[in-house]
Amino acid sequence: MPSLSDPIRIGAIEAKNRVFMAPLTRGRATRAHVPTPIMVEYYRQRASAGLILTEATGISQEGLGWPFAPGIWSDEQVEAWKPIVQAVHEAGGKIVCQLWHMGRIVHPDFLGGQKPVSASATTAPDAAHTYDGKKPYGEARPLAIDEIPRLRADYERAARNAIKAGFDGVQIHAANGYLIDQFLRDGSNLRTDAYGGSVENRIRLLTEVTQTVADAIGKDRTGVRLSPNGVIQGVDDSNPDALFGAAAAALSKIGIAFLELREPGPNGTFGTANHPPVAPTMKAAFNGPLILNSDYDGVRAQAALDEGHADAIAFGRPFIANPDLPARLFDGSPLNKDEAKTWYSQGPEGYIDYPERDAAKAA
């Protein structure tokens, strides 16, 4: 069985190890969602990951409702991403851009007061992060069928822009209660048209978007993220095995480069399981590299490889405080503790000032 330190081929990408960096929203872009110079150093520091999956990156203003999160729909954004990607490559890393449409999680404040779009006229629970603090979510409007070609074009433009910026590929964010996940699950998809009702219909948007992106930049540079288990941001499904098994099979047929699953365990930090793991069902249906994510440490990660449950593991929060996480996992070095208060703050504190292993030892 492979070890975490072994290389792996992910479509067109040769990853030097199987410790991947999961997407991590950090809020260091501008209010216009343009990446900033400080992000160059942040991603460069973490280039020892086998593959970096960027923070969620908006495909359009319609789809982006997080303060200071980056986008990739404009020329200005593309140009600002270029030095980030170049820095990762010069440090020997690989990096793909995660493409994000938040759907009903976008607060109307980001849309000039207009309603966000979703599968159906529903409202997310809790409150949204806005530039004016937390506010209750607004009710979404159902995305009309005649708007779907425009949505697919937004994904295609974002994917092409990512390649223009130098990224090694993209990952379509179809997890965590965002737009595509809102279409996937019957708890939020109340439609009666070709995009609602049956499992076949509810996975339609996912497969159409994925095929569009794969056709635009190559299926060997296209990945997808799904979250098959548990309620998240008010989104859930009554039969996740059937739904996500069918989704995995459809993505396998398209031939994408990789599938990443965020599936929290019974004591997950963000979201908890209310169903036995769905990943085994999906692995059986998906003919390609499967990456698992959520609450892994080095021991559990290696066990997942040993048992054939995954081909690589994506680590999230450990990468915040440990820019050299792979080296620490390989030799069992202790990990720095991250500070939640600086996850989404502006500036370098809690972003680019965590010490690497050798520096911490010298101190």
Side-chain angles (χ1 to χ4, degrees):
M1 289 295 175
S3 72
L4 288 170
S5 61
D6 285 338
I8 182 174
R9 185 172 184 85
I10 303 291
I13 301 168
E14 292 284 355
K16 59 191 172 187
N17 61 58
R18 297 171 188 240
V19 177
F20 289 8
M21 179 175 164
L24 292 160
T25 295
R26 302 305 310 277
R28 261 69 175 191
T30 70
R31 287 180 73 113
H33 306 296
V34 178
T36 54
I38 195 174
M39 294 168 61
V40 175
E41 178 64 10
Y42 172 74
Y43 281 107
R44 185 201 63 76
Q45 288 178 352
R46 289 154 180 81
S48 63
L51 179 65
I52 293 175
L53 307 169
T54 69
E55 61 203 279
T57 301
I59 65 167
S60 63
Q61 182 59 75
E62 174 195 81
L64 186 51
W66 190 279
F68 301 108
I72 197 161
W73 66 83
S74 73
D75 290 341
E76 184 181 10
Q77 291 163 344
V78 171
E79 290 304 310
W81 274 114
K82 285 181 178 179
I84 298 170
V85 175
Q86 181 179 353
V88 171
H89 286 162
E90 288 177 351
K94 303 289 186 179
I95 183 169
V96 302
C97 184
Q98 189 187 61
L99 306 182
W100 198 24
H101 192 304
M102 298 171 67
R104 71 181 190 178
I105 305 300
V106 178
H107 192 274
D109 281 4
F110 290 90
L111 305 172
Q114 298 295 310
K115 286 187 174 185
V117 299
S118 185
S120 304
T122 59
T123 304
D126 304 320
H129 291 272
T130 77
Y131 289 114
D132 298 315
K134 285 196 168 185
K135 295 184 178 182
Y137 288 107
E139 183 183 63
R141 66 173 181 83
L143 187 71
I145 284 185
D146 63 9
E147 292 180 280
I148 289 177
R150 185 265 302 164
L151 176 70
R152 290 169 58 185
D154 288 345
Y155 275 100
E156 179 179 354
R157 176 187 61 196
R160 291 187 185 278
N161 280 348
I163 299 303
K164 191 185 302 182
F167 283 102
D168 298 292
V170 304
Q171 182 192 54
I172 298 165
H173 195 343
N176 298 4
Y178 296 117
L179 180 66
I180 295 177
D181 206 17
Q182 292 160 26
F183 269 81
L184 287 173
R185 306 208 217 187
D186 58 17
S188 52
N189 186 337
L190 312 178
R191 302 172 75 103
T192 57
D193 58 19
Y195 291 85
S198 67
V199 166
E200 179 184 10
N201 284 355
R202 284 184 280 123
I203 68 171
R204 192 182 306 276
L205 184 65
L206 168 67
T207 56
E208 288 184 350
V209 166
T210 303
Q211 189 67 65
T212 295
V213 170
D215 288 346
I217 67 168
K219 62 186 180 182
D220 58 349
R221 296 191 182 275
T222 302
V224 170
R225 170 178 255 213
L226 295 170
S227 51
N229 197 9
V231 182
I232 186 160
Q233 302 199 101
V235 172
D236 201 7
D237 194 77
S238 62
N239 190 351
D241 283 290
L243 170 63
F244 289 104
L251 295 172
S252 185
K253 185 176 181 180
I254 293 172
I256 61 172
F258 67 95
L259 177 59
E260 185 213 2
L261 308 182
R262 183 186 180 278
E263 187 170 34
N267 300 305
T269 308
F270 291 100
T272 57
N274 60 2
H275 186 278
V278 184
T281 297
M282 299 176 73
K283 185 167 178 54
F286 183 70
N287 183 28
L290 185 75
I291 297 96
L292 295 183
N293 165 251
S294 196
D295 300 307
Y296 280 93
D297 58 21
V299 173
R300 288 186 57 237
Q302 185 58 55
L305 300 188
D306 292 343
E307 294 162 8
H309 297 323
D311 300 292
I313 303 295
F315 294 82
R317 290 181 308 282
F319 258 116
I320 291 178
N322 300 277
D324 56 348
L325 181 65
R328 291 175 184 261
L329 294 180
F330 299 159
D331 70 6
S333 293
L335 302 185
N336 298 323
K337 177 73 172 66
D338 61 294
E339 293 289 342
K341 67 181 180 181
T342 58
W343 284 353
Y344 311 125
S345 60
Q346 298 289 285
E349 183 182 1
Y351 191 61
I352 59 171
D353 60 352
Y354 285 107
E356 294 191 1
R357 178 189 55 177
D358 294 340
K361 286 180 179 179

